[in-house]
Amino acid sequence: NDHQWIAPGPNDLRGPCPGLNTLANHGFLPRDGRNLNMSVILDAGFNGYHMQPDGLALAVKAATFTTDDPLTFTLDDIKLHGTIEHDASLSRNDFALGDNVHFNETIFTTLADSNPGVDYYNTTSAGQVQQKRLADAEIANPNITNTVKEFTIRSRESAFYLSVMGNPLTGVAPKKFVQIFFREERLPIAEGWRRSDTPINGSTLGPLSDAIAEQSHWTTSGGCPWIRAGPE
Ligand code: HEM
Ligand code: MG
């Protein structure tokens, strides 16, 4: 059908967001990763993940800063370091260390191996993963940017993967689903995943982000939060 997983071809753009890459690989977003805007993303998030506009709109507004094109952006544009893209990601390296765009299995090991002994991730494990990724990035990248802005985005992204791959009310997500989502940028339908019956919105994401943030025992590395408003 129209929403089969198809790997991106040589002219298709992808970027640092596993959530949007997956939507493009299934044709909820344009498969070429271009001509994205607010309505295109809100429709795709709803159809693919049952995500409602209030959980996505701020990220889309920020994404418009990543290009000089006032009307559209691409999945590649949003890699612009300092707009949304940040250090200490779960599955990509820091910008200063090379490749902040492509999935990196070594970086992803921290998340993959978290919550040992059970077959699910939850807000506690997600917080522990953020703490470990930050500690490792602080060592690897002496110029790391780690203010309350990046902390807030990172906690929200962890709530995203638990919600779209698991139960958005409890924040419990099967490991197998989360791993396929990151590694293959694929909806694990064949493995038993289904789109959440519960809509995912600010009211469900907020408590999960808060619990994750709490469990990450975060402290700043100094600096002033700011948002990069353009490529120049
Ligand atoms: C990163 C999920 C929507 C832009 C991430 C990450 C996750 C995620 C789990 C963290 C990746 C990592 O740390 O390695 C989702 C889901 C979405 C969604 C499930 C639902 C549709 C969006 C939207 C935008 C966006 C609407 C902007 C238009 C980004 C960017 C990153 C990112 C730029 C890279 C941040 C970084 O790790 O440095 N997303 N996202 N995402 N997302 Fe999304
Ligand atoms: Mg990053």
Side-chain angles (χ1 to χ4, degrees):
N1 68 41
D2 288 353
H3 294 300
Q4 293 282 57
W5 184 88
I6 304 176
N11 297 317
D12 297 332
L13 300 178
R14 295 292 181 267
C17 176
L20 298 180
N21 290 350
T22 299
L23 290 174
N25 290 342
H26 283 275
F28 289 103
L29 286 175
R31 290 186 185 271
D32 67 4
R34 298 164 207 261
N35 291 303
L36 306 180
N37 61 36
M38 183 67 80
S39 56
V40 166
I41 299 233
L42 295 186
D43 281 352
F46 185 82
N47 292 328
Y49 299 133
H50 208 173
M51 285 195 68
Q52 295 185 316
D54 69 327
L56 293 172
L58 186 62
V60 179
K61 290 180 193 175
T64 66
F65 283 148
T66 62
T67 168
D68 290 328
D69 180 340
L71 295 181
T72 74
F73 57 91
T74 73
L75 289 181
D76 175 71
D77 289 331
I78 62 174
K79 71 186 178 193
L80 191 72
H81 183 60
T83 305
I84 301 170
E85 200 283 316
H86 53 77
D87 293 329
S89 295
L90 302 168
S91 66
R92 272 72 172 161
N93 212 338
D94 284 8
F95 176 73
L97 302 177
D99 180 358
N100 65 336
V101 176
H102 297 95
F103 176 80
N104 180 318
E105 182 69 40
T106 304
I107 300 281
F108 185 64
T109 301
T110 301
L111 199 171
D113 292 352
S114 68
N115 226 18
V118 294
D119 62 1
Y120 58 86
Y121 304 121
N122 59 18
T123 56
T124 304
S125 69
Q128 292 165 345
V129 169
Q130 286 189 190
Q131 185 173 23
K132 171 99 171 28
R133 281 293 307 124
L134 181 58
D136 289 350
E138 280 176 324
I139 292 167
N141 179 6
N143 293 318
I144 189 167
T145 302
N146 168 41
T147 76
V148 67
K149 178 198 152 192
E150 291 75 28
F151 166 62
T152 304
I153 296 173
R154 290 168 59 232
S155 300
R156 181 53 63 119
E157 289 164 353
S158 293
F160 272 9
Y161 76 74
L162 293 177
S163 297
V164 301
M165 286 297 115
N167 182 326
L169 298 175
T170 62
V172 172
K175 287 183 175 177
K176 194 184 0 174
F177 295 174
V178 172
Q179 291 174 12
I180 290 168
F181 170 78
F182 275 97
R183 288 188 172 126
E184 302 178 40
E185 300 186 331
R186 174 166 75 74
L187 298 173
I189 298 163
E191 291 78 8
W193 176 90
R194 302 190 293 119
R195 176 179 178 269
S196 173
D197 289 333
T198 307
I200 300 166
N201 55 37
S203 304
T204 66
L205 290 162
L208 298 186
S209 297
D210 289 350
I212 294 161
E214 178 81 17
Q215 292 298 321
S216 74
H217 303 289
W218 177 79
T219 51
T220 182
S221 311
C224 189
W226 64 289
I227 185 157
R228 184 173 179 184
E232 293 317 314

